[in-house]
Amino acid sequence: MLRLLIAVDGSEHARNAIDTAARLGREGEVEAVLLHVREERAYHGDLVPREYERIDEQARQHQAQVLEAALAHARHAGLSRLETQGEAGTPEIDIPRVAAERRADMIVMGTRGLGAVSALLLGSTAQRVVHNASVPVLLVK
Ligand code: ATP
Ligand code: MG
């Protein structure tokens, strides 16, 4: 059984990562955790509690939508042993941490994500996950 940690951010690259993961093994040979990390922003410290709660609630809703869409995409791509996990924190730290906790054999993610700079070869999350991870990282275009 190949255990994968697939990092998803709602981008086309992350959907390509799911498709590639689904092709790595035949039905039933791959199990995967779909992970999204909602970023905890530094400026929250300057906000009054009510504003903070509203932004936090929006972020939670967005995370639920990203994970639900990724789950539907993964099922459609042929993966059946699936779990989702939503974390709040810092993607480049929490993706390698969850991969280690889940004893994943490999992290699968996109080369780029939702960032605006389309000329970028490799997004900053992807670069830092490669640096921080103790398991192989499959970067999907
Ligand atoms: P940047 O964030 O540096 O502006 P980018 O958004 O184009 O650039 P990355 O953020 O490095 O590129 O995204 C690469 C891949 O990392 C995505 O395809 C996705 O697999 C994963 N990823 C990015 N952000 C998250 C996140 N918040 N939670 C989980 N996975 C993520
Ligand atoms: Mg990004």
Side-chain angles (χ1 to χ4, degrees):
M1 178 69 68
L2 186 64
R3 292 166 67 83
L4 303 176
L5 189 291
I6 310 175
V8 296
D9 64 350
S11 66
E12 188 187 343
H13 285 78
R15 285 192 288 278
N16 293 342
I18 293 172
D19 291 338
T20 298
R23 287 198 296 269
L24 286 177
R26 283 200 299 272
E27 177 81 16
E29 288 180 342
V30 173
E31 60 182 23
V33 177
L34 302 163
L35 171 69
H36 178 260
V37 183
R38 60 178 196 277
E39 294 184 52
E40 297 205 298
R41 297 182 201 282
Y43 65 73
H44 275 179
D46 302 331
L47 296 173
V48 297
R50 207 176 329 122
E51 283 176 285
Y52 173 84
E53 275 165 28
R54 188 177 55 77
I55 290 172
D56 195 52
E57 185 49 37
Q58 278 175 2
R60 282 172 191 275
Q61 279 175 18
H62 172 73
Q63 178 167 64
Q65 284 164 11
V66 167
L67 287 173
E68 201 178 309
L71 186 63
H73 190 93
R75 285 201 184 113
H76 188 74
L79 293 168
S80 54
R81 293 170 181 257
L82 289 163
E83 280 179 74
T84 60
Q85 186 167 341
E87 291 284 320
T90 309
E92 60 263 31
I93 293 170
D94 293 306
I95 293 167
R97 176 180 60 77
V98 173
E101 281 172 11
R102 296 272 195 160
R103 300 188 187 284
D105 299 301
M106 197 190 295
I107 294 167
V108 185
M109 62 195 299
T111 51
R112 290 184 26 237
L114 293 172
V117 188
S118 60
L120 220 59
L121 181 66
L122 204 56
S124 62
T125 312
Q127 284 186 47
R128 291 172 184 155
V129 167
V130 170
H131 183 80
N132 294 338
S134 54
V135 292
V137 181
L138 178 58
L139 295 166
V140 180
K141 277 191 174 179

